[in-house]
Amino acid sequence: MKWYQKLHWKIIIGLILGLLWGLFSSVVGWNQFTVDYVRPFGTIFVDLLKLIAVPLVLASLVVGVSSLNDMTKLSRMGGKTIGIYMITTVLAITIGLSVVNIMEPGKTLPEETRTSLMESYSENLEDRDEAAQELTERSPLQFFVDIVPQNVVEAASDNSNMLQVVFIAIILGIGIINIPLQKGEVLINFFDSLNEVIIKIVDLIMKTAPYGVFALMGAVIVDLAGDDLSQALVLLQALGWYCLAVLFGLFLHVSIVYFSLFKIFSKMRLRDFLKAIQPAILLGFSTSSSAATLPVTMERVEKNLGVDEEVSSFVLPVGATINMDGTSLYQAVAAVFIAQALGMDLTLLQQLTIVLTATLASIGAAGVPGAGIIMLVIVLQAVQVPVEGIALILGVDRILDMARTAVNVTGDAAVSVAVASSEGMLGDLHFDDE
Ligand code: ASP
């Protein structure tokens, strides 16, 4: 097979062509055409992925749980998963804080850029403020209350309720193993077959990924550049040091934390791991949604990394909902950047508060585009930095969202390898990606 026939290369080519198309559109004034006739293909692609996420999680987790002959394994796996997720998140925030304190991007922002950014983006803030406000008023235990659905159909009707779907699948699986086999067999076979069908559908959808990614990238660039490309470049330049701090932090996180995770838990090499799940990372990048990427992450992790379905069907949907290393790292950098730009020095206690609140904020953030910046409000409020400061970073958030989502997806996959390996449920690596 030639290199350009491999799926990940096709996606990369789609991504680059989409970027060039977006730039071309804004230079020649074809933005409306791109919005009307190119973007819809990207939307259809993402919707297809979202469409199969709930049935996939339900079917694969029911199959996973009903094949467990030892229930203590599930709770042990659950404990490990949550524990590793928390540790990697705290490490991500620590890396973010170290990078932003050393690079000090907020101090390089010129006074006049600050004033003009505050003016032009401040009206976009209200909705985000309200959404975060609602969250801060909830009881601390509301998170657990929300995991238990009142209604099966309602839980499955919204992809952001993934933890509820996980809950339903687990109790269904537990129910099945607690009745005589000849009665439960019909359901096991049903979910098993549904699972196979959906995995096939993921394969088919992925064949259209290069085109979907092209459309998504074209639309993002048109959104960013608007009618005046030069202005977008000026903005990017002004916030360049801040963007670099986030990207450098993300790079350090992947190369230090995931590298160490593999050293401790498995024999897998980071390079091989990244190569094997490349399409999922690229999709996370171009969709900015770890929830939409979930079906592909599951497929890659099972087929290419050799993680047993029992592990991946639990670890990945939970991860797509609560584990966001990229988002939490970004929130730490953004909070300190805003404080620096507004001339505030954060004390050590305030920085520790960021560790705590950014952990909670990333757990609470949904796996959809722009969720991280909504939750940033909570972090800023906790350290008494004016929430209006978000206006400073809004203009470049879409780009950073892409990078942090790619890391979120990578983190979920890395933890699934660690959990599988520690449970003796990790098979062989495969690189065939067609
Ligand atoms: N877009 C991210 C995700 O889906 C969340 C965020 O906005 O940081 O993982």
Side-chain angles (χ1 to χ4, degrees), residues 407-428:
V407 173
N408 292 344
V409 169
T410 310
D412 298 340
V415 174
S416 73
V417 170
V419 173
S421 172
S422 72
E423 289 287 327
M425 293 164 98
L426 186 65
D428 295 331

Side-chain angles (χ1 to χ4, degrees), residues 355-392:
V355 177
L356 183 70
T357 46
T359 304
L360 298 176
S362 69
I363 292 176
V368 296
I373 200 163
I374 296 180
M375 294 312 222
L376 181 62
V377 173
I378 296 177
V379 182
L380 292 176
Q381 280 172 341
V383 287
Q384 282 109 32
V385 172
V387 172
E388 294 69 35
I390 287 187
L392 295 173

